[in-house]
Protein backbone atom coordinates (compact mmCIF):
# COMPACT_ATOMS: atom_id res chain seq x y z
CA UNK A 1 0.00 0.00 0.00
CA UNK A 2 2.79 2.57 0.55
CA UNK A 3 3.30 2.76 -3.22
CA UNK A 4 -0.05 4.52 -3.64
CA UNK A 5 0.83 7.51 -1.42
CA UNK A 6 4.20 7.75 -3.16
CA UNK A 7 2.50 7.72 -6.55
CA UNK A 8 0.09 10.44 -5.45
CA UNK A 9 2.97 12.49 -4.07
CA UNK A 10 4.91 12.18 -7.31
CA UNK A 11 1.83 13.21 -9.30
CA UNK A 12 1.35 16.27 -7.06
CA UNK A 13 5.01 17.20 -7.60
CA UNK A 14 4.62 16.86 -11.37
CA UNK A 15 1.51 19.06 -11.36
CA UNK A 16 3.30 21.71 -9.29
CA UNK A 17 6.31 21.58 -11.62
CA UNK A 18 4.02 21.82 -14.64
CA UNK A 19 2.44 24.94 -13.09
CA UNK A 20 5.77 26.66 -12.52
CA UNK A 21 7.04 25.85 -16.01
CA UNK A 22 3.87 26.86 -17.87
CA UNK A 23 3.28 30.06 -15.90
CA UNK A 24 5.56 32.20 -18.10
CA UNK A 25 3.50 31.69 -21.30
CA UNK A 26 0.29 32.33 -19.37
CA UNK A 27 1.63 35.65 -18.03
CA UNK A 28 3.01 36.68 -21.42
CA UNK A 29 0.60 39.60 -22.08
CA UNK A 30 1.38 41.34 -18.80
CA UNK A 31 5.13 40.60 -19.11
CA UNK A 32 5.27 42.12 -22.62
CA UNK A 33 3.08 45.07 -21.65
CA UNK A 34 5.08 45.84 -18.52
CA UNK A 35 8.37 45.59 -20.43
CA UNK A 36 7.08 48.08 -23.01
CA UNK A 37 5.81 50.52 -20.38
CA UNK A 38 8.58 50.13 -17.80
CA UNK A 39 11.60 50.12 -20.11
CA UNK A 40 10.25 52.45 -22.80
CA UNK A 41 10.27 49.78 -25.52
CA UNK A 42 8.23 49.79 -28.68
CA UNK A 43 5.67 47.03 -29.35
CA UNK A 44 8.04 45.06 -31.59
CA UNK A 45 10.94 45.38 -29.15
CA UNK A 46 8.84 44.25 -26.19
CA UNK A 47 7.46 41.37 -28.25
CA UNK A 48 11.00 40.37 -29.17
CA UNK A 49 12.00 40.22 -25.49
CA UNK A 50 8.97 38.03 -24.79
CA UNK A 51 9.91 35.81 -27.71
CA UNK A 52 13.49 35.50 -26.40
CA UNK A 53 12.14 34.39 -23.01
CA UNK A 54 10.05 31.62 -24.57
CA UNK A 55 12.80 30.68 -27.00
CA UNK A 56 14.97 29.86 -23.99
CA UNK A 57 12.14 27.66 -22.71
CA UNK A 58 11.88 25.83 -26.05
CA UNK A 59 15.65 25.26 -26.24
CA UNK A 60 15.58 23.61 -22.81
CA UNK A 61 12.90 21.20 -23.97
CA UNK A 62 14.75 20.19 -27.13
CA UNK A 63 17.97 19.75 -25.13
CA UNK A 64 16.41 17.57 -22.42
CA UNK A 65 13.94 15.56 -24.53
CA UNK A 66 15.67 12.20 -23.91
CA UNK A 67 17.93 13.12 -20.98
CA UNK A 68 15.61 13.63 -18.02
CA UNK A 69 15.91 10.05 -16.76
CA UNK A 70 19.68 10.09 -17.26
CA UNK A 71 20.14 13.29 -15.26
CA UNK A 72 17.54 12.36 -12.66
CA UNK A 73 14.11 14.02 -12.39
CA UNK A 74 14.78 15.61 -9.00
CA UNK A 75 18.13 17.06 -10.02
CA UNK A 76 16.84 18.35 -13.36
CA UNK A 77 13.78 19.92 -11.72
CA UNK A 78 15.86 21.71 -9.09
CA UNK A 79 18.32 23.00 -11.68
CA UNK A 80 15.39 24.39 -13.68
CA UNK A 81 13.79 26.04 -10.66
CA UNK A 82 17.14 27.54 -9.63
CA UNK A 83 17.57 29.00 -13.12
CA UNK A 84 14.07 30.49 -12.86
CA UNK A 85 14.84 32.17 -9.54
CA UNK A 86 18.20 33.56 -10.67
CA UNK A 87 17.07 34.58 -14.15
CA UNK A 88 13.72 36.18 -13.43
CA UNK A 89 14.93 37.63 -10.15
CA UNK A 90 17.93 39.34 -11.75
CA UNK A 91 15.77 40.64 -14.65
CA UNK A 92 13.31 42.11 -12.16
CA UNK A 93 16.03 43.87 -10.16
CA UNK A 94 17.56 45.92 -13.01
CA UNK A 95 16.48 48.47 -15.57
CA UNK A 96 19.30 47.73 -18.00
CA UNK A 97 17.87 46.18 -21.16
CA UNK A 98 20.85 43.83 -21.84
CA UNK A 99 20.70 42.49 -18.27
CA UNK A 100 16.91 42.09 -18.49
CA UNK A 101 17.27 40.12 -21.71
CA UNK A 102 19.99 37.90 -20.21
CA UNK A 103 17.85 37.31 -17.13
CA UNK A 104 14.71 36.35 -19.04
CA UNK A 105 16.72 33.97 -21.26
CA UNK A 106 18.08 32.18 -18.17
CA UNK A 107 14.67 32.20 -16.54
CA UNK A 108 13.05 30.91 -19.73
CA UNK A 109 15.55 28.04 -19.88
CA UNK A 110 14.61 27.19 -16.30
CA UNK A 111 10.89 27.25 -17.15
CA UNK A 112 11.52 24.92 -20.08
CA UNK A 113 13.53 22.54 -17.89
CA UNK A 114 10.73 22.36 -15.33
CA UNK A 115 8.20 21.75 -18.09
CA UNK A 116 10.34 19.01 -19.65
CA UNK A 117 10.62 17.13 -16.35
CA UNK A 118 6.87 17.48 -15.76
CA UNK A 119 5.97 16.37 -19.29
CA UNK A 120 8.28 13.36 -19.12
CA UNK A 121 6.76 12.23 -15.83
CA UNK A 122 3.17 12.87 -16.90
CA UNK A 123 3.69 10.74 -20.02
CA UNK A 124 4.44 7.76 -17.79
CA UNK A 125 1.28 8.09 -15.70
CA UNK A 126 -1.46 5.50 -16.20
CA UNK A 127 -3.75 8.29 -17.43
CA UNK A 128 -1.66 11.15 -18.90
CA UNK A 129 -4.85 12.93 -20.03
CA UNK A 130 -5.99 13.33 -16.43
CA UNK A 131 -2.53 14.40 -15.24
CA UNK A 132 -2.33 17.05 -18.00
CA UNK A 133 -5.79 18.28 -17.05
CA UNK A 134 -4.74 18.70 -13.42
CA UNK A 135 -1.67 20.68 -14.52
CA UNK A 136 -3.71 22.99 -16.72
CA UNK A 137 -6.24 23.54 -13.93
CA UNK A 138 -3.44 24.50 -11.56
CA UNK A 139 -1.64 26.90 -13.92
CA UNK A 140 -4.92 28.54 -15.02
CA UNK A 141 -5.95 29.16 -11.42
CA UNK A 142 -2.52 30.57 -10.52
CA UNK A 143 -2.38 32.86 -13.55
CA UNK A 144 -5.95 34.06 -12.96
CA UNK A 145 -5.11 35.02 -9.38
CA UNK A 146 -2.01 36.90 -10.55
CA UNK A 147 -3.97 38.81 -13.20
CA UNK A 148 -6.31 40.01 -10.46
CA UNK A 149 -3.47 40.89 -8.09
CA UNK A 150 -0.62 42.38 -10.14
CA UNK A 151 -2.43 45.50 -11.48
CA UNK A 152 -3.23 46.53 -7.89
CA UNK A 153 0.39 46.27 -6.70
CA UNK A 154 1.85 48.97 -8.93
CA UNK A 155 3.52 49.39 -12.31
CA UNK A 156 6.93 48.57 -13.69
CA UNK A 157 8.35 45.45 -15.29
CA UNK A 158 9.49 43.84 -12.05
CA UNK A 159 6.26 42.42 -10.60
CA UNK A 160 5.40 39.73 -13.19
CA UNK A 161 9.03 38.58 -13.29
CA UNK A 162 9.15 38.41 -9.49
CA UNK A 163 5.93 36.37 -9.58
CA UNK A 164 7.63 33.81 -11.86
CA UNK A 165 10.64 33.61 -9.54
CA UNK A 166 8.36 33.24 -6.50
CA UNK A 167 6.48 30.39 -8.17
CA UNK A 168 9.76 28.50 -8.56
CA UNK A 169 10.56 29.01 -4.86
CA UNK A 170 7.12 27.76 -3.82
CA UNK A 171 7.45 24.60 -5.93
CA UNK A 172 11.03 23.79 -4.78
CA UNK A 173 10.07 21.79 -1.60
CA UNK A 174 7.85 19.32 -3.49
CA UNK A 175 10.72 18.26 -5.76
CA UNK A 176 11.84 15.98 -2.93
CA UNK A 177 9.02 13.63 -3.98
CA UNK A 178 10.65 13.07 -7.37
CA UNK A 179 13.17 10.26 -7.90
CA UNK A 180 16.75 11.36 -7.53
CA UNK A 181 18.49 8.52 -9.38
CA UNK A 182 18.16 7.14 -12.87
CA UNK A 183 15.49 4.50 -12.48
CA UNK A 184 12.00 3.69 -13.65
CA UNK A 185 9.71 6.37 -12.24
CA UNK A 186 6.66 5.52 -14.28
CA UNK A 187 3.55 4.82 -12.31
CA UNK A 188 1.92 1.64 -13.50
CA UNK A 189 3.65 1.41 -16.89
CA UNK A 190 6.58 -0.55 -18.21
CA UNK A 191 8.91 1.89 -19.96
CA UNK A 192 10.98 0.63 -22.86
CA UNK A 193 14.73 0.28 -22.69
CA UNK A 194 16.78 3.46 -23.25
CA UNK A 195 17.87 2.13 -26.64
CA UNK A 196 14.30 1.71 -27.89
CA UNK A 197 13.71 3.73 -31.08
CA UNK A 198 11.34 6.65 -31.08
CA UNK A 199 7.89 5.30 -32.07
CA UNK A 200 5.39 6.96 -34.42
CA UNK A 201 8.10 9.08 -36.07
CA UNK A 202 6.00 10.42 -38.95
CA UNK A 203 2.88 11.06 -36.89
CA UNK A 204 4.90 12.66 -34.10
CA UNK A 205 6.73 14.95 -36.53
CA UNK A 206 3.45 16.05 -38.13
CA UNK A 207 1.96 16.69 -34.69
CA UNK A 208 5.01 18.69 -33.56
CA UNK A 209 4.97 20.84 -36.70
CA UNK A 210 1.24 21.52 -36.42
CA UNK A 211 1.50 22.32 -32.72
CA UNK A 212 4.27 24.80 -33.48
CA UNK A 213 1.97 26.69 -35.87
CA UNK A 214 -1.01 26.22 -33.51
CA UNK A 215 0.84 27.80 -30.61
CA UNK A 216 2.33 30.55 -32.77
CA UNK A 217 -1.11 31.64 -33.99
CA UNK A 218 -2.67 31.77 -30.56
CA UNK A 219 0.24 33.35 -28.72
CA UNK A 220 0.64 35.96 -31.44
CA UNK A 221 -2.79 37.18 -30.36
CA UNK A 222 -2.19 36.48 -26.66
CA UNK A 223 0.99 38.56 -26.73
CA UNK A 224 -0.86 41.65 -27.99
CA UNK A 225 -4.21 41.05 -26.27
CA UNK A 226 -3.34 43.57 -23.57
CA UNK A 227 -2.66 46.24 -26.19
CA UNK A 228 -5.87 45.37 -28.04
CA UNK A 229 -7.81 45.89 -24.81
CA UNK A 230 -6.16 49.16 -23.79
CA UNK A 231 -5.70 50.58 -27.31
CA UNK A 232 -8.37 49.36 -29.70
CA UNK A 233 -11.09 48.57 -27.13
CA UNK A 234 -10.29 51.61 -24.94
CA UNK A 235 -10.16 49.76 -21.59
CA UNK A 236 -7.99 50.43 -18.54
CA UNK A 237 -5.25 48.05 -17.43
CA UNK A 238 -7.29 47.06 -14.36
CA UNK A 239 -10.30 46.22 -16.55
CA UNK A 240 -8.15 44.25 -18.99
CA UNK A 241 -6.61 42.33 -16.08
CA UNK A 242 -10.09 41.54 -14.77
CA UNK A 243 -11.14 40.28 -18.22
CA UNK A 244 -8.07 38.05 -18.36
CA UNK A 245 -8.82 36.70 -14.89
CA UNK A 246 -12.42 35.88 -15.85
CA UNK A 247 -11.17 34.31 -19.09
CA UNK A 248 -8.72 32.10 -17.22
CA UNK A 249 -11.49 31.20 -14.79
CA UNK A 250 -13.56 30.10 -17.77
CA UNK A 251 -10.52 28.08 -18.81
CA UNK A 252 -10.76 26.26 -15.49
CA UNK A 253 -14.35 25.35 -16.32
CA UNK A 254 -13.27 24.21 -19.79
CA UNK A 255 -10.51 21.98 -18.46
CA UNK A 256 -12.89 20.52 -15.87
CA UNK A 257 -15.37 19.75 -18.63
CA UNK A 258 -12.59 18.12 -20.67
CA UNK A 259 -11.69 15.93 -17.71
CA UNK A 260 -15.33 14.91 -17.27
CA UNK A 261 -15.72 14.26 -21.01
CA UNK A 262 -12.63 12.07 -21.08
CA UNK A 263 -12.63 9.48 -23.85
CA UNK A 264 -16.26 9.73 -24.92
CA UNK A 265 -15.41 11.60 -28.11
CA UNK A 266 -11.88 10.30 -28.55
CA UNK A 267 -9.14 12.82 -29.28
CA UNK A 268 -9.78 13.74 -32.92
CA UNK A 269 -13.11 15.54 -32.40
CA UNK A 270 -12.02 17.78 -29.48
CA UNK A 271 -8.75 18.69 -31.24
CA UNK A 272 -10.22 19.35 -34.71
CA UNK A 273 -13.50 21.02 -33.77
CA UNK A 274 -11.89 22.87 -30.87
CA UNK A 275 -9.22 24.37 -33.14
CA UNK A 276 -11.91 25.60 -35.57
CA UNK A 277 -13.76 27.20 -32.65
CA UNK A 278 -10.54 28.86 -31.47
CA UNK A 279 -10.04 30.36 -34.96
CA UNK A 280 -13.43 32.06 -34.66
CA UNK A 281 -12.55 33.40 -31.20
CA UNK A 282 -9.28 34.83 -32.56
CA UNK A 283 -11.22 36.75 -35.19
CA UNK A 284 -13.67 38.08 -32.59
CA UNK A 285 -10.95 39.21 -30.17
CA UNK A 286 -8.84 40.89 -32.84
CA UNK A 287 -11.79 42.98 -34.11
CA UNK A 288 -13.06 43.97 -30.63
CA UNK A 289 -14.06 47.61 -30.30
CA UNK A 290 -15.42 47.63 -26.75
CA UNK A 291 -15.70 45.74 -23.48
CA UNK A 292 -18.46 43.35 -24.60
CA UNK A 293 -16.79 42.06 -27.76
CA UNK A 294 -13.33 41.98 -26.19
CA UNK A 295 -14.51 40.07 -23.10
CA UNK A 296 -16.62 37.65 -25.16
CA UNK A 297 -13.76 36.77 -27.48
CA UNK A 298 -11.24 36.34 -24.68
CA UNK A 299 -13.53 34.28 -22.46
CA UNK A 300 -14.63 31.91 -25.25
CA UNK A 301 -11.08 31.60 -26.50
CA UNK A 302 -9.60 30.81 -23.08
CA UNK A 303 -12.38 28.31 -22.46
CA UNK A 304 -11.60 26.33 -25.63
CA UNK A 305 -7.80 26.68 -25.63
CA UNK A 306 -6.96 24.58 -22.53
CA UNK A 307 -9.50 21.94 -23.53
CA UNK A 308 -7.77 21.38 -26.87
CA UNK A 309 -4.34 21.66 -25.26
CA UNK A 310 -5.15 18.94 -22.73
CA UNK A 311 -6.05 16.53 -25.54
CA UNK A 312 -2.95 17.51 -27.53
CA UNK A 313 -0.71 16.86 -24.52
CA UNK A 314 -2.46 13.56 -23.87
CA UNK A 315 -2.01 12.59 -27.52
CA UNK A 316 1.71 13.40 -27.45
CA UNK A 317 2.14 11.46 -24.20
CA UNK A 318 0.36 8.42 -25.66
CA UNK A 319 2.83 8.16 -28.56
CA UNK A 320 5.75 7.23 -26.31
CA UNK A 321 5.53 6.07 -22.66
CA UNK A 322 9.08 7.36 -22.04
CA UNK A 323 7.79 10.87 -22.64
CA UNK A 324 10.09 11.78 -25.54
CA UNK A 325 7.27 12.87 -27.84
CA UNK A 326 5.59 14.68 -24.94
CA UNK A 327 8.75 16.74 -24.39
CA UNK A 328 9.40 17.30 -28.12
CA UNK A 329 5.81 18.36 -28.85
CA UNK A 330 5.86 20.58 -25.76
CA UNK A 331 9.10 22.15 -26.95
CA UNK A 332 7.63 22.71 -30.41
CA UNK A 333 4.71 24.42 -28.67
CA UNK A 334 7.17 26.59 -26.72
CA UNK A 335 8.99 27.45 -29.95
CA UNK A 336 5.71 28.54 -31.53
CA UNK A 337 4.86 30.44 -28.38
CA UNK A 338 8.28 32.12 -28.54
CA UNK A 339 7.67 33.31 -32.08
CA UNK A 340 4.14 34.41 -31.23
CA UNK A 341 4.73 37.81 -29.56
CA UNK A 342 7.05 38.99 -32.32
CA UNK A 343 4.74 37.68 -35.06
CA UNK A 344 1.74 39.35 -33.40
CA UNK A 345 3.56 42.65 -33.03
CA UNK A 346 4.79 42.68 -36.64
CA UNK A 347 1.41 41.63 -38.07
CA UNK A 348 -0.51 44.15 -35.98
CA UNK A 349 1.80 46.98 -37.01
CA UNK A 350 1.64 46.12 -40.72
CA UNK A 351 -1.97 44.90 -41.15
CA UNK A 352 -3.70 46.18 -38.02
CA UNK A 353 -5.31 44.01 -35.37
CA UNK A 354 -8.21 42.79 -37.60
CA UNK A 355 -5.81 41.83 -40.41
CA UNK A 356 -3.60 40.03 -37.91
CA UNK A 357 -6.62 38.11 -36.59
CA UNK A 358 -7.64 37.02 -40.09
CA UNK A 359 -4.14 35.70 -40.85
CA UNK A 360 -3.92 33.81 -37.54
CA UNK A 361 -7.40 32.31 -37.92
CA UNK A 362 -6.47 31.05 -41.40
CA UNK A 363 -3.34 29.39 -40.03
CA UNK A 364 -5.37 27.65 -37.32
CA UNK A 365 -7.84 26.31 -39.86
CA UNK A 366 -4.98 24.92 -41.95
CA UNK A 367 -3.52 22.89 -39.07
CA UNK A 368 -6.84 21.63 -37.64
CA UNK A 369 -7.22 18.75 -40.11
CA UNK A 370 -3.67 17.29 -39.81
CA UNK A 371 -3.83 17.39 -36.01
CA UNK A 372 -7.20 15.63 -36.01
CA UNK A 373 -5.85 13.05 -38.49
CA UNK A 374 -2.91 12.22 -36.20
CA UNK A 375 -5.31 11.90 -33.27
CA UNK A 376 -7.58 9.61 -35.29
CA UNK A 377 -5.02 7.28 -36.83
CA UNK A 378 -1.82 7.36 -34.77
CA UNK A 379 -2.83 7.43 -31.11
CA UNK A 380 -0.64 5.22 -28.97
CA UNK A 381 -1.99 4.23 -25.57
CA UNK A 382 -5.76 4.63 -25.13
CA UNK A 383 -7.30 7.46 -23.14
CA UNK A 384 -8.56 4.96 -20.58
CA UNK A 385 -6.10 2.33 -19.28
CA UNK A 386 -7.02 -1.23 -20.22
CA UNK A 387 -9.24 -0.32 -23.17
CA UNK A 388 -8.67 -2.54 -26.20
CA UNK A 389 -10.59 -2.80 -29.45
CA UNK A 390 -10.35 -5.90 -31.57
CA UNK A 391 -9.89 -5.39 -35.28
CA UNK A 392 -13.35 -5.31 -36.86
CA UNK A 393 -15.06 -6.15 -33.58
CA UNK A 394 -16.54 -4.56 -30.51
CA UNK A 395 -14.45 -3.12 -27.67
CA UNK A 396 -13.22 -5.42 -24.94
CA UNK A 397 -11.16 -4.96 -21.79
CA UNK A 398 -8.43 -6.89 -20.06
CA UNK A 399 -9.05 -6.82 -16.33
CA UNK A 400 -6.05 -8.12 -14.43
CA UNK A 401 -6.30 -9.90 -11.10
CA UNK A 402 -9.47 -10.31 -9.11
CA UNK A 403 -10.13 -6.64 -8.34
CA UNK A 404 -13.77 -5.58 -8.73
CA UNK A 405 -14.67 -4.06 -12.07
CA UNK A 406 -14.90 -0.25 -12.18
CA UNK A 407 -16.23 2.00 -14.88
CA UNK A 408 -12.79 3.62 -15.24
CA UNK A 409 -11.43 0.37 -16.62
CA UNK A 410 -14.24 -0.36 -19.02
CA UNK A 411 -13.72 0.35 -22.72
CA UNK A 412 -14.95 3.72 -23.88
CA UNK A 413 -16.50 4.73 -27.17
CA UNK A 414 -13.94 6.29 -29.48
CA UNK A 415 -10.89 4.85 -27.75
CA UNK A 416 -7.89 4.36 -30.06
CA UNK A 417 -7.63 0.88 -31.51
CA UNK A 418 -4.97 -1.56 -30.41
CA UNK A 419 -4.58 -4.54 -32.70
CA UNK A 420 -4.41 -8.00 -31.21
CA UNK A 421 -2.21 -10.46 -33.01
CA UNK A 422 -4.18 -13.54 -34.13
CA UNK A 423 -3.03 -16.86 -32.67
CA UNK A 424 -3.53 -19.76 -35.11
CA UNK A 425 -5.18 -22.85 -33.64
CA UNK A 426 -3.71 -26.21 -34.67
CA UNK A 427 -5.91 -28.12 -37.11
CA UNK A 428 -7.44 -31.30 -35.69
CA UNK A 429 -8.44 -34.41 -37.59
CA UNK A 430 -12.15 -35.08 -37.48
CA UNK A 431 -12.76 -38.15 -35.25
CA UNK A 432 -14.30 -41.28 -36.82
CA UNK A 433 -16.94 -43.58 -35.31
CA UNK A 434 -14.36 -46.27 -34.65
CA UNK A 435 -12.54 -43.98 -32.28
CA UNK A 436 -15.33 -44.28 -29.71
CA UNK A 437 -16.05 -47.32 -27.50
CA UNK A 438 -18.13 -48.15 -24.43
CA UNK A 439 -16.69 -47.54 -21.01
CA UNK A 440 -16.17 -50.78 -19.08
CA UNK A 441 -14.64 -51.61 -15.67
CA UNK A 442 -10.95 -52.15 -15.92
CA UNK A 443 -11.13 -55.29 -13.80
CA UNK A 444 -8.76 -53.94 -11.17
CA UNK A 445 -10.05 -54.32 -7.73
Amino acid sequence: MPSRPRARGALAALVALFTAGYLAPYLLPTVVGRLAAGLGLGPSQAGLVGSVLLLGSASAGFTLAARVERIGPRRAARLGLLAMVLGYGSAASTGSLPLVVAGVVLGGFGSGTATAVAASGIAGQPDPQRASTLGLLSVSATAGALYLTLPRLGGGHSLPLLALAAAALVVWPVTGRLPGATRAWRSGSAAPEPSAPLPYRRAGAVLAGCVLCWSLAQNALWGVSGRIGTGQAGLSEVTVGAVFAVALGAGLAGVTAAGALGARLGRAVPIGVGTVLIAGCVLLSSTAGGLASFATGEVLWNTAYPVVLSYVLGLAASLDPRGRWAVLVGSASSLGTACGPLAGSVLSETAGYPGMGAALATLLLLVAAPMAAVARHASGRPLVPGSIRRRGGAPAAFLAGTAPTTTALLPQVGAPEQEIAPIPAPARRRPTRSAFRLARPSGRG
Side-chain angles (χ1 to χ4, degrees):
M1 295 302 292
S3 61
R4 288 188 177 181
R6 282 199 300 268
R8 285 195 294 265
L11 177 59
L14 292 173
V15 170
L17 206 58
F18 184 97
T19 302
Y22 256 79
L23 193 58
Y26 270 70
L27 292 182
L28 189 64
T30 189
V31 169
V32 171
R34 292 293 186 97
L35 287 173
L39 300 179
L41 303 178
S44 297
Q45 293 174 315
L48 180 60
V49 176
S51 294
V52 167
L53 185 159
L54 297 173
L55 189 60
S57 178
S59 64
F62 286 120
T63 302
L64 299 172
R67 296 179 174 87
V68 172
E69 290 181 345
R70 190 183 311 165
I71 298 172
R74 186 190 306 163
R75 182 186 302 173
R78 288 179 173 175
L79 289 175
L81 296 177
L82 180 61
M84 289 178 64
V85 173
L86 295 177
Y88 294 133
S90 62
S93 63
T94 181
S96 171
L97 182 59
L99 294 179
V100 169
V101 172
V104 298
V105 169
L106 178 59
F109 191 89
S111 294
T113 302
T115 303
V117 176
S120 180
I122 286 173
Q125 295 295 309
D127 189 356
Q129 173 84 12
R130 175 177 174 270
S132 299
T133 299
L134 291 174
L136 289 171
L137 283 171
S138 177
V139 70
S140 296
T142 304
L146 288 173
Y147 273 116
L148 286 175
T149 305
L150 292 178
R152 291 173 167 78
L153 297 180
H157 73 285
S158 300
L159 285 177
L161 297 174
L162 287 176
L164 295 173
L169 289 175
V170 170
V171 172
W172 182 282
V174 302
T175 57
R177 300 177 181 179
L178 298 175
T182 304
R183 58 191 173 96
W185 63 308
R186 311 296 184 195
S187 179
S189 65
E193 295 299 323
S195 59
L198 190 65
Y200 297 101
R201 288 178 179 268
R202 183 179 302 176
V206 170
L207 180 63
C210 290
V211 167
L212 189 153
C213 298
W214 188 83
S215 296
L216 183 149
Q218 297 190 74
N219 286 280
L221 179 63
W222 187 238
V224 299
S225 288
R227 298 204 296 271
I228 293 176
T230 56
Q232 182 173 280
L235 307 176
S236 66
E237 184 184 0
V238 174
T239 304
V240 170
V243 170
F244 287 161
V246 172
L248 291 172
L252 292 175
V255 175
T256 304
L261 182 63
R264 291 179 178 85
L265 297 178
R267 291 189 180 102
V269 172
I271 290 175
V273 176
T275 299
V276 173
L277 176 61
I278 288 172
C281 296
V282 168
L283 276 177
L284 181 59
S285 293
S286 62
T287 57
L291 176 59
S293 56
F294 179 74
T296 302
E298 293 292 322
V299 169
L300 291 178
W301 177 31
N302 282 276
T303 302
Y305 167 78
V307 174
V308 179
L309 182 59
S310 68
Y311 280 95
V312 170
L313 294 176
L315 172 61
S318 74
L319 297 179
D320 178 26
R322 287 186 61 199
R324 290 170 292 180
W325 274 126
V327 176
L328 289 172
V329 170
S331 300
S333 176
S334 297
L335 184 59
T337 303
C339 300
L342 181 59
S345 298
V346 172
L347 284 173
S348 61
E349 288 183 345
T350 56
Y353 294 125
M356 175 200 68
L360 299 178
T362 301
L363 180 59
L364 286 171
L365 293 176
L366 289 176
V367 302
M371 291 173 67
V374 172
R376 175 66 181 85
H377 299 291
S379 291
R381 289 178 295 158
L383 289 176
V384 179
S387 179
I388 295 176
R389 185 185 297 271
R390 292 187 177 92
R391 187 192 314 176
F398 284 152
L399 302 178
T402 58
T405 303
T406 61
T407 57
L409 293 175
L410 293 177
Q412 304 295 320
V413 176
E417 294 194 4
Q418 291 188 358
E419 295 185 0
I420 299 178
I423 302 176
R428 293 186 177 181
R429 188 175 58 185
R430 186 175 181 178
T432 62
R433 185 178 182 84
S434 61
F436 297 93
R437 60 186 178 84
L438 295 176
R440 293 187 177 89
S442 61
R444 296 177 184 177

